[in-house]
Structures are given as structure tokens and as C-alpha cells.
Amino acid sequence: MYPILHDENKLLLIDRFLTEYVHAGHVPAEYLQLVIPNAGLYFESDDDFDMLSQHMQLGYFSVWLHDIFAKRDIVLCPYSPYHLWALHFMYEDTLRAETITLPEFMLEERQCNLFNLYSEMHRVPMKAGQKVLSFHINIMPVNVPKLVQQYPGLYNLANKRLEKISGVINDRPYRINPVCNYLIQNIVSCKYVEEVAQYYLHRCCVDLFFLAGCDTAADGTVVHADPDGDVAPGV
């Protein structure tokens, strides 16, 4: 179902066909403090790296958080099993991605990009001792118009031009501002459960997609209509 890699090449699944979570008892004690209350867990470890992946399915959104620590030099190989968009937030370090379509793309710390990803593999080298935190919200392109119908303020998403190759949709990287940090922190620390959690976390994802599409002024203020289509003050 998924590619099989060897040696220093480590598969990083951007999404999955099926969810087969592991019990928290399979996660080492030092990683338990990072576990999201509402997330399903995956943990991989060998002599080369540790990777804790956490997942939440929130309506059209598939939310992933990857904590990755390289014990030795490795090559992360991000792979999407199907066509999707990924709103990606990078924390803790900067990595250089090698893609099929671009010889080099920098995943800068504290930057966000909206990627259009087809089913293919990329390469991201990591040096021994590097640690990164990758947070991304996936949505299948076929569901974008449905999302925009629910939240008219996201109309810009429906007008995005899709290339036939994987790449970045946004013209330039987005700055991860304090509002984005606040929303992401609310997602990873949410104590609500069941339907209340689903509604709350889904709305945080909508707001993150909306903020990523805003035009940010030099002083950091944003003037926009909110995702529901009403006029809102700058944040």
C-alpha cells in the first residue's frame, strides 16, 4: 500500500488510507507529554530517528502533527498516497526539501505554506541532532468548494489555480503570527471531547485556513471578512 524504504531513508506519510493507531502504552514516557488528548497516535523508532505522529479527522480536514528527532543523518521521504492540499506550519528548525518539480525548497522555521501535493515522494535531509515539529491540515481538493459553501469568507481558496504537478499554491510563504500560534496551541491542548471537540477543533482549522489567505500589512495587522462572510476587525 505504501512505499518500503531502507537505510537512512525514512517514510513520512502525509496522510493515510486507513487509520491504525497505536495505544499510548507503545509511546515512550518522554513523549507522552506531547500527546494530544483527541488524537490517534503513531510512533516509529530505530537507531536513526524517533517520530511521533498524531492525527485527527475533523470533517473535511485531516490534521497531523509530527515530532521528529534525527539521531543520525537521515532523509525524510514525505509521501502522500493521494492528491491533497496541505496547509503546513514549520516549527523548531529549517529543512531543505528536494522535490521532483523544484531542485530545492526551504521549509523555513515559523513559516507556513499551502501545498498542492500529488501522489509522489519527496526528500528532506535531516542532520543528526536536528528536531522538527511539523503541523499540517490536509483537505482533498474536491472538498474545497464544499468548504467554501459553508464558509464564504474562504472564497479565495476556490479561485486557486492548480498545476498538474506538486508545488506551493501561495505566491510567498505566510508568516506564522501570534494568532496562528494561538489557534494551533488550542488544537494541541484541547480538553473538550466528542462532538464539542469536533466542532471546536474544526473551527480552529477553518480559521487557520482563513488567516493563511489574508493579506498581512507590514505592521502585522490584518483587515478581512471572517470565514462566515461577515466583516471583522484586524487582528
Side-chain angles (χ1 to χ4, degrees):
M1 182 181 297
Y2 303 123
I4 298 175
L5 305 180
H6 302 282
D7 301 324
E8 76 278 6
N9 300 297
K10 308 299 178 182
L11 183 65
L12 171 60
L13 288 171
I14 298 172
D15 219 313
R16 298 179 183 239
F17 288 114
L18 300 173
T19 54
E20 299 175 344
Y21 303 133
V22 302
H23 188 272
H26 293 279
V27 177
E30 61 266 29
Y31 285 95
L32 290 178
Q33 61 181 344
L34 304 175
V35 169
I36 301 172
N38 290 280
L41 306 177
Y42 298 91
F43 185 76
E44 298 178 56
S45 181
D46 60 22
D47 292 338
D48 299 327
F49 84 133
D50 289 341
M51 179 165 64
L52 173 65
S53 295
Q54 305 186 66
H55 174 245
M56 293 177 285
Q57 188 66 46
L58 305 170
Y60 297 133
F61 298 122
S62 180
V63 181
W64 290 87
L65 183 72
H66 307 282
D67 285 274
I68 307 166
F69 174 66
K71 304 173 188 175
R72 300 175 179 172
D73 291 357
I74 63 171
V75 178
L76 280 179
C77 297
Y79 173 77
S80 171
Y82 48 80
H83 185 201
L84 56 78
W85 287 11
L87 182 63
H88 179 259
F89 298 82
M90 190 70 174
Y91 288 96
E92 297 194 22
D93 210 337
T94 295
L95 297 178
R96 174 178 52 83
E98 301 168 356
T99 72
I100 294 174
T101 55
L102 294 172
E104 181 177 287
F105 182 84
M106 299 304 295
L107 296 166
E108 296 281 353
E109 181 184 7
R110 302 191 67 80
Q111 282 190 352
C112 168
N113 287 282
L114 179 60
F115 291 99
N116 175 43
L117 299 175
Y118 291 91
S119 181
E120 59 194 25
M121 187 177 296
H122 309 283
R123 291 169 51 85
V124 183
M126 286 185 70
K127 294 291 186 182
Q130 275 192 301
K131 183 181 183 301
V132 294
L133 176 65
S134 168
F135 177 88
H136 55 97
I137 306 171
N138 302 338
I139 185 170
M140 297 178 67
V142 69
N143 290 328
V144 171
K146 302 173 188 177
L147 184 69
V148 173
Q149 282 188 333
Q150 294 179 342
Y151 301 96
L154 297 174
Y155 68 92
N156 282 336
L157 290 178
N159 298 324
K160 297 292 186 182
R161 179 186 174 188
L162 286 187
E163 302 290 343
K164 298 298 184 182
I165 56 177
S166 296
V168 184
I169 297 176
N170 46 284
D171 294 329
R172 63 183 186 277
Y174 306 125
R175 175 173 57 88
I176 299 179
N177 61 32
V179 180
C180 291
N181 280 331
Y182 174 78
L183 289 168
I184 292 173
Q185 185 59 40
N186 284 353
I187 290 173
V188 302
S189 63
C190 176
K191 298 298 190 294
Y192 298 131
V193 297
E194 299 179 345
E195 290 185 6
V196 175
Q198 284 278 319
Y199 177 83
Y200 178 77
L201 294 169
H202 182 271
R203 183 58 198 227
C204 287
C205 292
V206 170
D207 289 342
L208 284 167
F209 262 86
F210 177 73
L211 287 170
C214 291
D215 290 326
T216 305
D219 61 359
T221 60
V222 179
V223 180
H224 57 263
D226 73 18
D228 297 303
D230 300 322
V231 174
V235 293

